[in-house]
Amino acid sequence: MKEKIHFTILSNDSTDGDGGYGVGTLDLNNVTPIIIDGEKEHVFIDLEALHGRSIIEKKVRFSPDLAHASDDYNRYWIVWVALQVGETGPYYAGCTASEVRVSKEERRIKLGYKSLPEQVNYLDKALKGKFLLNHVDTKSKKLLSQFLSEFNQQYWTHSPEELKQQLWGDF
């Protein structure tokens, strides 16, 4: 069964250059978080990831120490996809990914690894139109490429070649 969630598209910008209230704030209206579960080969949009409350982050005690997730863990990627509207229409304008690991141990509260500063930096870079996906494993890149192209063929077609090269570089 295919989940029917959509990407967020640009809304009116409250900071239209007047230098008033809200200048310097981060506008998240055109970014969509996508979760990749490479083990289950499942890719989905989870808007709660913008607030650190995605389905994979709930009931997990995170640490910035990679050893905190133990040897037996699930590896996920939170992918930040920024959309812009160009002359030809909407396109994927920025795309970055940060790793999240969650212990497979069945506990009331699981242990996990994520770097909050890394997530914020990757989110910022996606909003600025950067593509940083070289550190993502090949299987996850393939799943993301398939998801983005199938989600909206026009977005994919109008997207920069840099995105496609980073996703297709390994296969």
Side-chain angles (χ1 to χ4, degrees):
M1 178 176 7
K2 194 167 189 173
E3 297 163 1
K4 194 62 180 164
I5 297 180
H6 54 275
F7 279 82
T8 49
I9 298 283
L10 288 172
S11 66
N12 292 335
D13 184 7
S14 63
T15 59
D16 55 0
D18 65 358
Y21 178 77
V23 170
T25 60
L26 198 60
D27 182 11
L28 300 177
N29 285 324
N30 68 330
V31 68
T32 301
I34 297 173
I35 308 292
I36 301 174
D37 180 346
E39 188 174 308
K40 294 181 182 174
E41 296 188 5
H42 184 56
V43 182
F44 57 98
I45 294 172
D46 190 340
L47 296 176
E48 293 297 315
L50 287 169
H51 307 289
R53 295 188 303 245
S54 70
I55 192 79
I56 63 169
E57 296 171 292
K58 290 183 179 174
K59 296 184 180 178
V60 179
R61 181 175 295 136
F62 285 105
S63 168
D65 181 12
L66 194 56
H68 190 70
S70 80
D71 293 334
D72 192 24
Y73 61 85
N74 288 321
R75 183 183 198 183
Y76 303 97
W77 294 97
I78 297 181
V79 181
W80 308 106
V81 180
L83 294 168
Q84 294 291 332
V85 179
E87 293 175 10
T88 57
Y91 63 97
Y92 303 123
C95 190
T96 60
S98 54
E99 182 180 18
V100 175
R101 294 184 185 188
V102 177
S103 174
K104 290 182 180 179
E105 290 181 61
E106 287 303 319
R107 304 171 128 188
R108 198 171 65 100
I109 301 222
K110 293 184 176 192
L111 301 177
Y113 158 80
K114 75 175 177 179
S115 171
L116 192 55
E118 177 183 274
Q119 282 191 345
V120 172
N121 286 335
Y122 278 125
L123 171 60
D124 180 56
K125 289 179 189 316
L127 286 168
K128 291 178 178 173
K130 305 288 186 204
F131 298 99
L132 299 171
L133 300 166
N134 291 329
H135 60 289
V136 178
D137 62 279
T138 304
K139 183 178 183 180
S140 297
K141 284 183 189 181
K142 189 173 184 178
L143 290 167
L144 179 61
S145 173
Q146 183 179 2
F147 181 83
L148 292 175
S149 63
E150 289 177 2
F151 184 83
N152 188 309
Q153 187 61 44
Q154 288 183 341
Y155 291 3
W156 182 253
T157 302
H158 299 158
S159 295
E161 286 302 311
E162 184 180 358
L163 170 63
K164 298 166 189 170
Q165 288 175 355
Q166 284 197 29
L167 290 175
W168 293 341
D170 295 337
F171 51 92

